[in-house]
Amino acid sequence: MPSSPIFQGSSPGYGTGRRKSQFTYRQLGLLTSYSTSSPLRVVSHIDLDAFYAQCEMVRLGTPEDQPLAVQQWQGLIAVNYPARKFGIGRHCTVTEAKKMCPQLIAQHVATWKEGDEKWAYHEDAASHIGTHKVSLDPYRLQSRRILALIKESLPANLQKVEKASIDEVFVDLSAQIHSILLQRFPELANPPPYDDPTEKLPLPPISALDWQADALVDLDDAEAEADDPDWDDVAILIGSEIVRDIRAEVRRKIGYTCSAGIASNKMLSKLGSGHKKPNQQTVIRNRAVQHFLSDMKVTKIRNLGGKLGEQVTSVFETDSIKVLLAVPVEQMKAKLGEDTGIWLYNTIRGIDTSEVNARTQIKSMLSAKSFRPLINTMDQAVRWLRIFAADIFSRLVEEGVLENKRRPKTINLHHRHGGQTRSRQNAIPQGKILDETTLFELAKNLMNQIALEGRIWPCANLSLSVAGFEDGVTGNMGIGGFLLKGEEAKSLMSSSREASVDPHSEARPEKRRRTDNPGIQRFLARASSSSDANDGGAEEAREHQCHQTVANQPPPEHDASLQVEQDASATETKTRQLPITDYTCSRCHARLENAEAHQSHLDWHFAKDLQEEERGSSTLANRPAGPRNQKPPASTSRQATRGSGKKQSKLNFG
Ligand code: DCP
Ligand code: CA
């Protein structure tokens, strides 16, 4: 709860001319249910500054002003603010960066060494791209600690926190603010006049608000600063106090700085957190939204950083929001489609009704490696499969597999050789304890099946994934009987993963971006197809090893216009038919008509996983956030993964 007194002065005369608030009792009440339609809503986006770099600084006890960057092979994936002063960015190589700042510490990420059972910080990792695989576990663990702390610093029954990526959260502060408002202004708890909730509230009995050191975005009308505040201003001020306290806690208890945006919705709050960095927070009052957005490029907006933003810019021949504001909604709909057009029209006006989703669920997990040099033997492949199995298993542990919370149904292996991608999928036996050895055996089995296909060496990439997570259930369908619980589970963990599970390793969150908008989800951004020549070995640091989704994500729809850029080399995906009878996709819950359609749909998912993996590898270092969760088609053709060069191929549906 905010500690400091936040209101200054008092103006019982209710401001300049207005005698009532513009907000109603009903709108105030909507805060308690986190309604996205309350104009008093307050959402914050909190983003860690130079996250991986801070993780390393905290781990190494580096002084705050010491320039430090996180290295992955010869590239940089995070740069702290002292190093940024030297002009160092993610685009730099280690050699370039050291020239720019000789005292730079370039800390290589932790890696799994081929054949090892546990990741570690290896001094010579950078020169062993062929035999090491990056581990992001240390950052996931820190992410988890920070998230836990943020949740702890909010009242347990009045919080809604969404982990948006490895280093960002959205917090809907509405309910907590409602409770604080009622404590501080008990008159708000009175029944509305005539018991009519559409009656306007009285104006706040104050005339000036103390915004402390927050970066306060100027109001649309500079003169309006003299007006008395209304309840939206008071609500957002309370929000900024709460967020300041959260940030101070994170700083004090575990040493991390973060930046935050406080506004009436997710989109604006995210823009706010990036507005002033590092270690600052920006408040965008409702009356400042227009001013805040109008000088901005449309591509800065969440979900418009990628291909959709490019499309908007090219279709309307501008990236200026100010110019786009003049485009009629009909024109946007005509050019971008109904949903996306309306979404864009609203978005550039600061309207965003997407919810903060407290519950996110992992749908699949992927562990992969692109080989350079290519690998040539089954022995080598098997050594990597062991690492993948260990990697995935430790994440499964966190998903509650051992406590029978969630368990994947399928395992899939992709193999790339000479421009061809082959894959095999198998059901994960439900009548057996799911442990690392089982995963490894399943993976080997898939590899053997692929080997029967014919020539498979040299191999350029292997990728193991598990999917089809379902909650632990009881009864006939139950898997509980086969899974261990409590102490049993712990002892299994220590025996099967002795050296491979970090005892503190609670976190497997991943950097991930997603869109909440169905129209945008339908817009499938073209992925940049990568080849072995250009991925720089950065594949492991992709931001989306775990594909997560939100509980209330709209069901996918059939969309014949969906386009996928296929990997130039992808040829064929063959999978085994799963013993499924209801033809509902376990990953996205799409309902398919028959077994054939279901199988094709699964193929599509696998192709997408692969594509995501590839996209991560080729564009990771410089790609802004864009829509990630693309809607899978209700059914796809079997040729979904057959590519013909680096062009877009349209999928045939239905
Ligand atoms: N990351 C990555 N490659 C990218 C983008 C991000 O490996 N292209 C990783 C490293 C970052 C972390 O994700 O530390 C968080 O990404 P951000 O985009 O939030 O960047 P930072 O936190 O590093 O910096 P900022 O202070 O600008 O948020
Ligand atoms: Ca960040």
Side-chain angles (χ1 to χ4, degrees):
M1 179 173 306
S3 40
S4 47
I6 54 172
F7 305 113
Q8 286 185 343
S10 172
S11 169
Y14 288 64
T16 52
R18 283 186 298 144
R19 290 177 45 241
K20 292 248 160 133
S21 162
Q22 58 174 311
F23 303 105
T24 65
Y25 282 84
R26 186 175 163 278
Q27 289 168 334
L28 175 69
L30 285 174
L31 288 177
T32 57
S33 58
Y34 302 98
S35 165
T36 58
S37 59
S38 174
L40 294 168
R41 183 178 190 225
V42 180
V43 171
S44 177
H45 179 260
I46 303 175
D47 181 298
L48 274 293
D49 300 320
F51 182 51
Y52 291 6
Q54 279 205 83
C55 292
E56 295 301 344
M57 291 171 78
V58 167
R59 184 178 71 86
L60 300 166
T62 315
E64 273 186 20
D65 54 353
Q66 165 67 49
L68 179 146
V70 178
Q71 179 182 351
Q72 180 173 290
W73 314 129
Q74 298 311 319
L76 301 181
I77 54 171
V79 179
N80 76 358
Y81 282 81
R84 289 187 203 188
K85 285 194 186 138
F86 291 83
I88 300 172
R90 281 193 193 116
H91 54 274
C92 298
T93 64
V94 179
T95 322
E96 287 162 357
K98 287 214 164 137
K99 265 191 209 147
M100 293 158 93
C101 170
Q103 71 270 34
L104 177 79
I105 295 179
Q107 172 62 48
H108 199 280
V109 292
T111 52
W112 296 81
K113 190 173 163 192
E114 189 184 6
D116 275 6
E117 292 211 338
K118 171 89 177 85
W119 55 262
Y121 281 92
H122 295 278
E123 273 191 14
D124 55 350
S127 49
H128 289 90
I129 186 170
T131 48
H132 286 229
K133 170 178 158 49
V134 164
S135 169
L136 301 181
D137 277 12
Y139 310 137
R140 295 187 195 122
L141 168 62
Q142 295 305 309
S143 168
R144 188 93 153 199
R145 287 178 72 203
I146 294 162
L147 182 66
L149 192 51
I150 291 176
K151 288 184 173 172
E152 260 171 45
S153 58
L154 294 165
N157 56 343
L158 293 175
Q159 61 171 264
K160 204 175 194 202
V161 181
E162 171 183 331
K163 187 168 116 30
S165 82
I166 196 163
D167 78 331
E168 324 161 65
V169 293
F170 286 104
V171 187
D172 192 326
L173 297 161
S174 303
Q176 185 181 357
I177 288 172
H178 180 268
S179 131
I180 295 171
L181 277 172
L182 262 55
Q183 278 165 28
R184 295 206 180 145
F185 306 96
E187 65 270 29
L188 292 178
N190 294 337
Y194 322 109
D195 266 341
D196 179 358
T198 63
E199 278 286 323
K200 300 265 202 264
L201 295 162
L203 270 173
I206 43 184
S207 61
L209 304 180
D210 175 10
W211 297 96
Q212 299 199 23
D214 290 350
L216 201 59
V217 173
D218 289 344
L219 296 181
D220 302 336
D221 169 8
E223 310 270 291
E225 208 64 77
D227 291 353
D228 279 357
D230 204 335
W231 290 111
D232 58 343
D233 299 311
V234 178
I236 208 167
L237 175 67
I238 294 173
S240 81
E241 288 290 336
I242 297 170
V243 172
R244 190 177 302 118
D245 286 356
I246 293 176
R247 291 178 44 242
E249 279 287 280
V250 173
R251 182 78 199 256
R252 189 173 64 82
K253 291 205 170 137
I254 48 178
Y256 287 82
T257 68
C258 51
S259 301
I262 300 115
S264 62
N265 61 47
K266 289 169 86 171
M267 185 260 291
L268 289 169
S269 67
K270 168 125 177 131
L271 284 172
S273 69
H275 189 60
K276 292 259 161 74
K277 268 186 157 274
N279 201 19
Q280 292 182 71
Q281 62 184 54
T282 298
V283 176
I284 306 151
R285 292 166 289 177
N286 290 344
R287 289 179 291 152
V289 171
Q290 220 181 313
H291 175 76
F292 182 61
L293 286 178
S294 62
D295 288 334
M296 206 170 272
K297 287 184 173 177
V298 71
T299 46
K300 290 251 306 193
I301 294 182
R302 180 167 165 259
N303 298 326
L304 283 159
K307 296 289 170 180
L308 179 55
E310 273 174 32
Q311 191 197 14
V312 168
T313 307
S314 110
V315 165
F316 299 104
E317 294 176 352
T318 181
D319 60 3
S320 150
I321 291 184
K322 200 179 275 168
V323 178
L324 286 168
L325 282 169
V327 179
V329 68
E330 289 310 325
Q331 203 178 326
M332 290 198 170
K333 289 199 286 191
K335 299 256 164 98
L336 301 171
E338 180 89 6
D339 286 351
T340 306
I342 293 174
W343 177 82
L344 179 67
Y345 184 84
N346 285 331
T347 298
I348 58 175
R349 286 166 175 76
I351 299 166
D352 169 20
T353 54
S354 58
E355 275 182 54
V356 171
N357 298 289
R359 274 179 303 164
T360 55
Q361 294 206 323
I362 290 170
K363 289 175 116 188
S364 64
M365 291 175 186
L366 181 102
S367 189
K369 171 84 186 166
S370 286
F371 304 112
R372 209 156 341 108
L374 309 183
I375 60 167
N376 281 299
T377 67
M378 194 56 131
D379 265 8
Q380 281 177 299
V382 166
R383 280 204 291 274
W384 284 109
L385 293 181
R386 186 181 288 284
I387 287 181
F388 297 165
D391 186 18
I392 290 179
F393 183 73
S394 63
R395 283 188 258 159
L396 286 173
V397 169
E398 283 173 13
E399 266 301 286
V401 168
L402 297 186
E403 289 83 29
N404 186 20
K405 284 201 199 122
R406 306 188 77 227
R407 175 177 167 126
K409 282 197 293 201
T410 57
I411 182 164
N412 182 64
L413 181 69
H414 276 83
H415 169 283
R416 187 137 57 95
H417 152 73
Q420 278 203 331
T421 299
R422 294 190 172 96
S423 82
R424 280 290 182 282
Q425 184 193 348
N426 214 339
I428 295 175
Q430 300 295 298
K432 224 180 147 234
I433 292 165
L434 183 51
D435 57 16
E436 189 177 325
T437 312
T438 308
L439 284 178
F440 177 50
E441 292 301 327
L442 286 165
K444 270 199 300 189
N445 186 282
L446 294 172
M447 187 69 214
N448 288 334
Q449 289 180 38
I450 289 173
L452 294 176
E453 281 272 300
R455 213 177 123 86
I456 60 162
W457 310 114
C459 167
N461 178 286
L462 274 178
S463 143
L464 186 70
S465 59
V466 293
F469 280 81
E470 62 173 21
D471 289 335
V473 285
T474 52
N476 290 340
M477 302 264 298
I479 55 174
F482 307 115
L483 289 164
L484 303 178
K485 296 186 178 144
E487 290 308 308
E488 258 184 309
K490 280 187 201 138
S491 74
L492 170 74
M493 264 180 73
S494 53
S495 62
S496 73
R497 291 194 36 77
E498 203 77 335
S500 57
V501 173
D502 180 334
H504 307 292
S505 181
E506 305 156 359
R508 305 283 155 176
E510 295 295 337
K511 183 91 187 164
R512 133 192 93 98
R513 315 243 189 236
R514 67 160 180 260
T515 167
D516 306 276
N517 182 277
I520 299 308
Q521 284 175 344
R522 197 168 297 139
F523 181 94
L524 186 61
R526 284 185 306 137
S528 353
S529 187
S530 71
S531 70
D532 283 346
N534 70 359
D535 69 5
E539 80 285 356
E540 297 97 337
R542 67 196 169 279
E543 301 158 47
H544 41 265
Q545 275 176 317
C546 298
H547 306 276
Q548 297 180 317
T549 188
V550 292
N552 65 351
Q553 208 172 356
E557 292 161 21
H558 176 94
D559 186 346
S561 65
L562 207 60
Q563 293 185 334
V564 177
E565 179 171 357
Q566 298 298 332
D567 176 359
S569 56
T571 52
E572 207 179 357
T573 295
K574 292 179 183 167
T575 52
R576 270 222 244 148
Q577 183 64 51
L578 291 169
I580 293 171
T581 48
D582 72 355
Y583 309 123
T584 301
C585 174
S586 57
R587 294 182 59 175
C588 69
H589 305 296
R591 289 205 184 80
L592 289 312
E593 275 173 23
N594 51 37
E596 172 81 25
H598 182 261
Q599 188 60 59
S600 299
H601 177 88
L602 286 179
D603 287 353
W604 185 89
H605 271 303
F606 299 141
K608 284 306 304 165
D609 286 347
L610 193 65
Q611 183 189 12
E612 289 284 318
E613 153 77 359
E614 303 255 318
R615 180 160 60 160
S617 66
S618 66
T619 58
L620 195 69
N622 47 21
R623 190 189 54 242
R628 287 279 171 84
N629 272 9
Q630 299 148 349
K631 290 181 93 174
S635 72
T636 64
S637 75
R638 294 286 291 183
Q639 73 201 45
T641 57
R642 186 177 290 280
S644 53
K646 289 201 180 204
K647 65 180 171 54
Q648 277 197 67
S649 59
K650 212 163 195 182
L651 296 179
N652 296 324
F653 300 105

